[in-house]
Structure formats: structure tokens, C-alpha cells
């Protein structure tokens, strides 16, 4: 067993021991990417990244495929996208030695950059965003390199919905035109802007329509997660009650990251031989909220007043129906149905608001809680 100072991992991937459940999803993902492209969809922080990294560590993937994980959340353009992909490939080739690097560089004819090797053969890359002058040409060269690799390649693009925000037009069509001709490369398109990603792959008007299998990720069931938490407290000679774990599960509606974050922070404050009480969990949740507060305050400062008012209203309701009705507008002192409609449209584009089956809610549960506390400073999320 891998020894970890804190068994509740909140970033990266350690080992299967610290990965909870997802057996069916792992099996399905591995089956799909052996011959298809896959769109992996869920709300943010539901564990998509961990699932991909977990699958990439499985023997049947490690031995038979080259894998590349590319987080494009921070990218702002096609050039950013190509730069991120290039860097991931280069970094993955470093351990393979000089020959592998030189082979990759042979294909990168459009890059205005250089690679050198020290006396020990360790590679050094002189490569910046400005070295990509023809992003489409460089992208084509990268795909050509992967297509001719001696093993099949799997490329996972995390937060794939980001490409819809690039200033260049027809990015989806451009990528689709490249990808459809590749037989040695399979793709995972992981996205958390649910309405954006769903439309991207399920709308007949979009280039990626009907081009991938779809895997939606839902919360880990309580029956799996509660024993997982209790087990690791016990292994590390600490205790926690199942009913208290369930309180956190229900509070965060099974959101993987926020549950892990809570137990990660609570674990730090529990000495060996002690118990994690409901009071400790309450303090921990308050601390997690306070830690996130600065980021949420900055976010709210950039949101126009009408959109902010609607966020407060929907946060107060928890989940809201008929938000353009006279009753909802009157109850939450909103301006008009047209103002609500316009604000909702903008907030959904920003992925700050989600609509499912005519029910509107804020997908970031911690942000929802933060807004609720702003409106009611006495609110207690975990009762005594």
C-alpha cells in the first residue's frame, strides 16, 4: 500500500487505494477509448480528472497506449491550446530519452523553437507561446506525429468547453476536421460546463455531433463513499461516525471535491487516537467557506447587478422553478421577466447557473452556500 500523510486526496492522483469506487465508470471509459472518442461530462469538481488519471494508470492502458492529459481551462486561444498540447507531449517524452525527443521535434517544422541536450543527455526546451506562429500548422504536425507513433495514443482534453470561448471562429470544425482522419489517436473530451458541452456533442448543428460516445459522471453513491471515509480514518488510527460522514455527503450533494476537501482538512486536526466529531466538521466547513471567500468576492465584483440579484435569488431558493414568473420576481424583488431572462442567459454562459428540466440552480455548491450566508449571516449549514 502507498503511504500518504493524508488519505483524502484533493489534487492529483496518488494510487488506487485512495481512489473511491468509480468501478463501472472506469470500466466503461477504458472500453470506450480502446476504439472510440469519448465525451466525459459532469458538473465541476465531480471527479472527472481523477477518473481519467486513474484509468491512465491501469495496466491495460499503461502497457498498450501512450497517454497525454492536457488541461486547457486556462487557455484563451488556439495558440494557447497548441502550446499546452505541445508542452504536455514534450514533458511526457523527457523520460524516454534523446531519440524520442528528436523524433517529435522532426515533425515540428513550424515551431520557431529549439531543443538541446546537456552532457548527460537531459533535454532542455527553448519554447514559448510566441514560437507558435501558425497554430493550425503546428496542430496538424502534432496530430501527424501522434498518428505515426508505434503505439495507439490517448489524448484527454480537460475542460474542453473552453474552446468555445476562443476568439478564433470555427475552432470546433477545425479540430473535428483533424480528428476524424486519425485512427491511431483516441480522445477524451472532458467538460464541466454541462449545457455547453452537452450542446457541443449532442446538437446536430455542431461539428462534434454524433462523433463520440457520451459518459455522464454522477456523484459517488453514499453507500460507497461513507465506508471509504470511515476506513481511512480507522487505518490512520482515528475515528468518525458513519452518520456524520452522511451529513457532509448530503450537505455537498455528493460533490467529490468538496467532500474530500472537508475530510482532508478535518483529518489534519484530528490527533491519533481521537475522533472527528460533528462540531469539528462544522468548523471545518466554515473554514473551507472562509478560504474560498476571497475568490468568490472577486467573482461577484465582476458580475453586473442584475445577474448578481438573480444569483442571490436562486441561491436562496436552492433550486428554483419558473424564475420568470411574477411570483418568483415579486418574492425576490427582481426587476422584470425580461431582465431575469437576460441575466440567466449570461450566467449560464459563464457556467455560474445551470438549468435541468426547467429547474435552475447554482452548480458550484460551495458558491451557493457562500451566497446564502451573505444573505443570512446566521445560517448554520450543519445543525447541532
Amino acid at each position: 500500500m502507498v503511504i500518504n500523510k493524508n488519505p483524502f486526496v484533493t489534487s492529483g492522483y496518488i494510487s488506487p487505494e485512495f481512489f473511491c469506487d468509480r468501478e463501472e465508470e472506469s470500466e466503461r471509459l477504458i472500453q470506450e477509448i480502446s476504439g472510440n472518442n469519448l465525451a466525459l461530462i459532469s458538473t465541476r469538481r465531480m471527479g472527472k480528472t481523477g477518473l481519467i488519471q486513474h484509468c491512465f494508470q491501469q495496466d491495460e492502458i499503461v502497457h498498450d497506449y501512450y497517454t497525454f492529459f492536457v488541461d486547457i481551462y486556462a487557455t484563451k486561444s488556439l495558440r494557447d491550446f497548441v502550446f499546452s498540447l505541445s508542452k504536455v507531449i514534450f514533458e511526457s517524452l523527457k523520460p524516454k530519452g534523446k531519440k524520442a525527443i528528436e523524433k517529435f521535434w522532426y515533425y515540428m517544422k513550424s515551431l520557431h523553437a529549439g531543443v538541446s541536450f546537456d552532457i548527460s543527455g537531459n533535454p532542455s526546451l527553448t519554447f514559448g507561446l510566441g514560437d507558435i506562429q501558425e497554430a493550425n500548422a503546428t496542430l496538424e504536425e502534432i496530430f501527424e506525429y501522434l498518428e505515426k507513433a508505434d503505439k495507439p495514443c490517448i489524448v484527454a482534453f480537460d475542460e474542453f468547453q473552453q474552446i468555445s470561448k476562443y476568439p478564433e471562429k470555427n475552432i470546433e470544425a477545425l479540430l473535428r476536421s483533424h480528428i476524424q482522419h486519425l485512427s491511431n489517436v483516441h480522445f477524451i473530451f472532458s467538460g464541466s460546463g454541462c449545457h455547453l458541452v452537452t450542446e457541443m456533442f449532442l446538437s446536430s448543428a455542431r461539428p462534434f455531433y454524433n462523433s463520440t460516445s457520451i459518459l455522464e459522471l454522477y456523484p459517488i453513491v453514499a453507500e460507497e463513499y461513507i465506508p471509504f471515509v470511515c476506513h481511512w480514518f480507522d487505518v490512520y488510527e482515528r475515528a468518525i461516525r458513519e452518520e456524520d460522514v452522511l451529513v457532509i455527503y448530503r450537505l455537498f450533494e455528493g460533490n467529490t471535491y468538496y467532500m474530500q476537501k472537508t475530510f482532508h482538512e478535518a483529518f489534519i486536526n484530528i490527533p491519533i487516537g481521537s475522533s472527528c466529531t460533528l462540531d469539528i466538521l462544522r468548523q471545518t466547513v466554515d473554514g473551507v467557506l472562509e478560504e474560498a471567500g476571497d475568490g468568490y468576492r472577486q467573482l461577484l465584483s465582476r458580475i453586473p447587478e442584475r445577474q448578481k440579484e438573480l444569483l442571490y435569488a436562486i441561491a436562496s431558493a436552492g433550486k428554483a422553478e419558473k424564475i420568470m414568473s411574477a411570483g418568483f420576481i415579486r418574492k425576490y424583488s427582481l426587476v422584470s421577466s425580461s431582465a431575469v431572462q437576460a441575466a440567466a442567459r449570461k450566467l449560464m454562459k459563464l457556467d455560474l447557473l445551470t438549468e435541468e428540466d426547467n429547474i435552475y440552480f447554482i452548480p458550484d455548491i460551495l458558491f451557493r452556500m457562500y451566497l446564502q450566508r451573505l444573505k443570512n449571516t446566521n445560517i448554520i449549514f450543519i445543525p447541532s
Side-chain angles (χ1 to χ4, degrees):
M1 182 181 74
V2 175
I3 300 300
N4 196 34
K5 290 181 180 178
N6 193 314
F8 302 103
V9 179
T10 57
S11 64
Y13 178 81
I14 306 298
S15 70
E17 292 95 340
F18 301 103
F19 187 79
C20 180
D21 192 36
R22 299 297 192 196
E23 292 179 9
E24 288 184 16
E25 295 92 336
S26 298
E27 184 179 347
R28 166 91 191 280
L29 190 149
I30 290 170
Q31 285 177 347
E32 292 291 349
I33 58 177
S34 63
N36 299 313
N37 297 327
L38 177 73
L40 179 62
I41 302 172
S42 79
T43 54
R44 286 200 71 196
R45 297 177 166 174
M46 195 58 75
K48 296 183 300 300
T49 299
L51 175 63
I52 294 169
Q53 292 174 337
H54 175 69
C55 291
F56 278 4
Q57 295 300 315
Q58 302 309 299
D59 287 344
E60 58 265 52
I61 298 297
V62 171
H63 294 149
D64 297 335
Y65 295 87
Y66 295 128
T67 57
F68 307 94
F69 183 87
V70 189
D71 184 352
I72 64 168
Y73 184 67
T75 62
K76 304 295 183 186
S77 65
L78 178 62
R79 194 163 64 149
D80 265 351
F81 177 93
V82 174
F83 180 71
S84 297
L85 178 57
S86 303
K87 281 197 72 176
V88 166
I89 294 174
F90 181 82
E91 291 299 322
S92 73
L93 291 175
K94 272 186 178 180
K96 301 183 189 301
K98 184 175 181 179
K99 204 168 182 181
I101 297 276
E102 287 178 337
K103 183 179 178 183
F104 174 60
W105 219 245
Y106 169 79
Y107 284 90
M108 300 296 103
K109 295 181 173 60
S110 66
L111 279 181
H112 292 237
V115 61
S116 58
F117 299 87
D118 64 20
I119 194 168
S120 301
N122 298 314
S124 176
L125 179 65
T126 307
F127 180 37
L129 190 60
D131 294 311
I132 299 175
Q133 297 185 4
E134 294 290 338
N136 188 20
T138 305
L139 183 64
E140 191 170 346
E141 290 165 357
I142 292 171
F143 285 149
E144 183 183 2
Y145 164 76
L146 295 174
E147 180 69 4
K148 292 182 179 178
D150 59 352
K151 286 199 294 189
C153 301
I154 302 170
V155 180
F157 290 117
D158 201 20
E159 304 297 349
F160 188 65
Q161 73 281 353
Q162 191 66 23
I163 69 167
S164 66
K165 302 174 185 178
Y166 292 171
E168 298 94 345
K169 294 181 179 179
N170 302 320
I171 294 297
E172 290 175 46
L174 173 67
L175 288 175
R176 179 77 176 98
S177 67
H178 286 304
I179 288 169
Q180 68 182 346
H181 299 299
L182 301 175
S183 59
N184 195 49
V185 192
H186 306 302
F187 295 86
I188 301 171
F189 306 105
S190 173
S192 56
C194 286
H195 68 284
L196 290 174
V197 181
T198 302
E199 185 180 339
M200 192 179 288
F201 290 98
L202 296 181
S203 169
S204 59
R206 304 287 283 267
F208 277 100
Y209 173 67
N210 220 17
S211 66
T212 69
S213 300
I214 306 289
L215 175 58
E216 289 194 56
L217 204 60
Y218 298 101
I220 297 170
V221 294
E223 291 77 11
E224 294 287 347
Y225 190 70
I226 291 172
F228 172 82
V229 174
C230 294
H231 165 75
W232 283 114
F233 268 89
D234 183 57
V235 167
Y236 283 78
E237 300 178 55
R238 293 156 174 87
I240 191 169
R241 300 189 309 168
E242 287 189 0
E243 53 265 42
D244 293 343
V245 180
L246 181 60
V247 168
I248 298 300
Y249 183 93
R250 287 174 173 166
L251 177 66
F252 290 118
E253 300 174 11
N255 180 284
T256 307
Y257 175 80
Y258 289 135
M259 294 190 302
Q260 288 285 97
K261 175 73 172 173
T262 299
F263 292 116
H264 180 96
E265 297 299 323
F267 183 88
I268 291 170
N269 297 313
I270 308 297
I272 291 175
S274 300
S275 296
C276 181
T277 64
L278 199 58
D279 189 52
I280 289 172
L281 291 174
R282 186 184 302 111
Q283 294 172 29
T284 303
V285 169
D286 286 344
V288 171
L289 260 174
E290 187 175 340
E291 182 185 325
D294 285 343
Y296 289 145
R297 276 189 288 275
Q298 290 180 28
L299 175 62
L300 286 172
S301 71
R302 299 193 296 269
I303 296 175
E305 203 63 30
R306 297 285 178 259
Q307 295 174 35
K308 205 179 300 184
E309 289 169 356
L310 182 59
L311 279 176
Y312 282 127
I314 292 175
S316 297
K319 296 196 174 179
E321 297 182 78
K322 301 177 180 176
I323 63 172
M324 283 162 272
S325 67
F328 186 86
I329 290 166
R330 187 167 52 250
K331 181 177 181 179
Y332 294 105
S333 304
L334 302 174
V335 176
S336 65
S337 60
S338 60
V340 168
Q341 186 177 39
R345 192 181 302 118
K346 295 273 181 61
L347 290 169
M348 289 175 72
K349 267 192 172 181
L350 295 170
D351 203 34
L352 296 174
L353 187 65
T354 293
E355 180 266 325
E356 290 180 4
D357 300 324
N358 297 316
I359 296 174
Y360 292 81
F361 60 93
I362 295 166
D364 184 335
I365 297 169
L366 197 69
F367 185 38
R368 185 195 313 166
M369 292 165 62
Y370 176 80
L371 294 171
Q372 290 168 346
R373 181 158 282 181
L374 279 183
K375 297 299 285 184
N376 179 6
T377 55
N378 296 319
I379 192 169
I380 300 172
F381 294 112
I382 302 178
S384 301

